């Protein structure tokens, strides 16, 4: 690999230093009257009252390696991220760590775009791919709470063309991957960002007409299936009485204030570029695997990918940054409530005190996106 083309991640080089981290490293337990052990901070060391930085304060002024937008990395984290990126050939990654009450860390490492030397930050927009499935499942449970969806009902009750004599999974089995459906390789289920998206119903009908979908008996072992979540999207649309994407915006993104996440890149978003690490001799094969317009230019050991979207919004179509992902995680950790707004739907309850202990554990969630 040509180091001038794809800069290596060097953990000794820092975009900005967080004065809070330096105070903590000196052994101080308080700094400017706040508790270094519990509170979170912005890049200048200011206490984050709301648990979320204003996006205009996020550093965007370039740099090579580490961009800390909020909080302070635990000891050894920077070196661990550096080792992961170097060992797996990852040009850039953004990460957020949250608990019920605040953002503990929001940071970017490496480059979001190697050609432009654009640093990865907490505000970089990435394709969420299969992390979208968590949002899809949450939307389904919102409909359950509203009495408009029955998880035990056969999927054919909501989407008639999914009725089959071979296997008839329930809605819940779609969500927990026990529908018995196969998982065809989805590498061609994408389209260029400047192209019109295909109809997800047409894609699902096409897949259901093949022989590779009905593979197992419903309700048995869990087997991962993107097709199941394509179908779940159609079930949600039918139960909600509107397009799947519209219901996700109405029921999840807007109530949670996820303003920089959707099914298309936001105007002016800092977009991460995708890369495939492969020998140059593989270029003709890789270019043939993707639909036209997806494979981009070669850059050293990497083949870049032009910006694109996933064809099936319900199984992998969301695009957004880790700030919004952190808000979504906090919603689950807070049993559906965030910043005074309660959103119904499936939530992860915080565990109570364990037997023989005097305090409850504090749930923490991590989200990472990479180029």
């Amino acid at each position: 690999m040509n180091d001038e083309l794809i800069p290596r991640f060097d953990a000794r080089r820092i975009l900005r230093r967080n004065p809070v981290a330096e105070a903590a490293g000196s052994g101080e337990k308080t700094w400017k009257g706040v508790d270094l052990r519990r509170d979170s901070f912005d890049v200048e060391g200011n206490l984050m009252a709301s648990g979320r930085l204003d996006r205009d304060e996020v550093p965007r002024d370039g740099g090579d390696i580490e961009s800390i937008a909020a909080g302070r990395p635990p000891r050894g984290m920077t070196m661990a991220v550096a080792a992961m990126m170097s060992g797996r050939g990852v040009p850039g990654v953004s990460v957020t760590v949250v608990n019920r009450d605040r953002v503990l860390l929001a940071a970017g490492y490496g480059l979001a775009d190697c050609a432009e030397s654009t640093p990865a930050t907490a505000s970089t927009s990435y394709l969420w791919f299969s992390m979208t499935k968590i949002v899809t499942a949450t939307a389904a449970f919102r409909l359950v709470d509203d009495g408009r969806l029955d998880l035990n009902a056969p999927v054919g009750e909501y989407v008639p063309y999914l009725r089959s004599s071979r296997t008839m999974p329930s809605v819940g089995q779609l969500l927990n991957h026990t529908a018995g459906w196969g998982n065809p390789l989805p590498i061609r289920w994408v389209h260029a960002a400047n192209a019109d998206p295909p109809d997800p119903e047409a894609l699902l009908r096409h897949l259901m007409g093949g022989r590779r979908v009905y593979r197992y008996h419903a309700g048995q072992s869990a087997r991962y299936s993107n097709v199941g979540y394509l179908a779940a999207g159609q079930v949600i649309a039918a139960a909600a009485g509107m397009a799947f994407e519209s219901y996700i915006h109405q029921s999840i993104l807007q109530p949670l204030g996820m303003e920089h996440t959707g099914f298309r890149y936001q105007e002016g978003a800092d977009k991460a570029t995708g890369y495939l690490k492969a020998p140059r001799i593989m270029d003709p094969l890789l270019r043939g695997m993707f639909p036209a317009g997806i494979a981009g230019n070669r850059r050293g050991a990497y083949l870049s990918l032009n910006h694109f979207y996933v064809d099936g919004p319900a199984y992998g179509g969301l695009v957004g940054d880790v700030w919004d992902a952190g808000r979504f995680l906090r919603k689950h950790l807070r049993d559906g409530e965030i910043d005074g707004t309660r959103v119904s739907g499936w939530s992860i309850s915080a565990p109570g005190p364990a037997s023989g202990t005097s305090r409850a554990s504090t749930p923490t969630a991590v989200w990472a996106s990479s180029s």
Side-chain angles (χ1 to χ4, degrees), residues 6-366:
I6 304 292
R8 286 188 180 277
F9 189 94
D10 182 352
R12 294 171 297 181
R13 301 170 64 191
I14 305 297
L15 171 62
R16 288 196 184 201
R17 288 195 176 276
N18 188 326
V20 178
E22 294 178 352
S26 68
E28 297 291 333
K29 293 184 178 180
T30 61
W31 186 77
K32 289 188 177 182
V34 295
D35 189 342
L36 293 174
R37 297 164 296 181
R38 297 186 58 187
D39 296 312
S40 58
F41 310 83
D42 66 19
V43 71
E44 301 297 343
N46 301 310
L47 178 65
M48 293 171 58
S50 66
R52 188 186 188 197
L53 264 179
D54 186 276
R55 293 171 190 273
D56 292 337
E57 300 174 22
V58 177
R60 296 172 178 267
D61 55 354
D64 296 308
I65 296 309
E66 185 178 58
S67 170
I68 306 298
R72 51 191 174 92
R75 185 183 303 274
M77 177 174 173
T78 298
M79 294 302 296
V81 172
M84 179 276 294
M85 294 177 69
S86 178
R88 299 190 180 187
V90 177
V93 63
S94 299
V95 61
T96 188
V97 182
V98 302
N99 64 14
R100 288 172 53 90
D101 301 317
R102 60 179 63 87
V103 177
L104 303 177
L105 176 68
Y109 299 87
L111 297 176
D113 186 284
C114 298
E116 302 295 331
S117 296
T118 305
T121 73
S123 295
T124 300
S125 287
Y126 298 84
L127 295 170
W128 282 19
F129 292 114
S130 283
M131 300 304 289
T132 303
K133 292 181 175 67
I134 308 173
V135 179
T136 299
T138 302
F141 275 82
R142 285 216 64 182
L143 289 168
V144 171
D145 282 357
D146 292 343
R148 291 189 282 171
L149 183 64
D150 181 359
L151 296 180
N152 295 317
V155 295
E157 288 191 9
Y158 297 95
V159 184
Y161 66 82
L162 291 179
R163 293 193 178 105
S164 170
S165 60
R166 285 182 274 186
T167 180
M168 179 62 75
S170 68
V171 174
Q173 287 168 342
L174 294 180
L175 300 177
N176 65 18
H177 296 284
T178 60
W181 292 355
N183 190 38
L185 188 65
I187 194 168
R188 294 189 62 84
W189 303 357
V190 295
H191 60 279
N194 59 0
D196 292 332
D199 180 6
E201 178 179 333
L203 174 61
L204 181 59
R205 283 179 178 273
H206 170 73
L207 292 170
M208 299 307 293
R211 293 181 299 174
R212 292 184 295 172
V213 171
Y214 299 99
R215 300 289 301 274
Y216 315 100
H217 292 291
Q220 295 185 346
S221 300
R223 292 178 172 89
Y224 193 86
S225 176
N226 288 309
V227 180
Y229 266 77
L230 276 173
Q234 296 303 299
V235 169
I236 289 171
M242 66 181 72
F244 171 79
E245 297 96 318
S246 298
Y247 184 69
I248 293 297
H249 278 284
Q250 175 182 301
S251 66
I252 305 293
L253 304 183
Q254 291 178 2
L256 293 184
M258 296 171 64
E259 301 170 355
H260 289 248
T261 298
F263 293 95
R264 301 189 70 83
Y265 288 108
Q266 301 291 312
E267 184 176 354
D270 293 332
K271 307 169 189 173
T273 297
Y275 295 93
L276 291 175
K277 188 175 183 181
R280 186 179 298 271
I281 196 174
M282 296 289 292
D283 280 11
L285 176 62
L286 293 173
R287 293 181 185 280
M289 289 173 59
F290 293 105
I294 302 300
N297 298 321
R298 172 152 294 268
R299 191 164 181 83
Y302 294 81
L303 179 67
S304 68
L305 301 177
N306 296 322
H307 295 304
F308 65 90
Y309 298 115
V310 173
D311 287 351
Y315 91 87
L318 280 173
V319 181
D321 60 23
V322 298
W323 286 113
D324 280 356
R327 290 186 67 78
F328 179 74
L329 294 175
R330 286 181 59 213
K331 176 264 180 188
H332 278 282
L333 293 173
R334 294 182 63 85
D335 296 334
E337 180 272 330
I338 185 170
D339 296 343
T341 300
R342 175 161 295 280
V343 180
S344 63
W346 181 44
S347 59
I348 303 171
S349 299
S355 176
T357 63
S358 59
R359 54 185 290 185
S361 60
T362 302
T364 302
V366 181

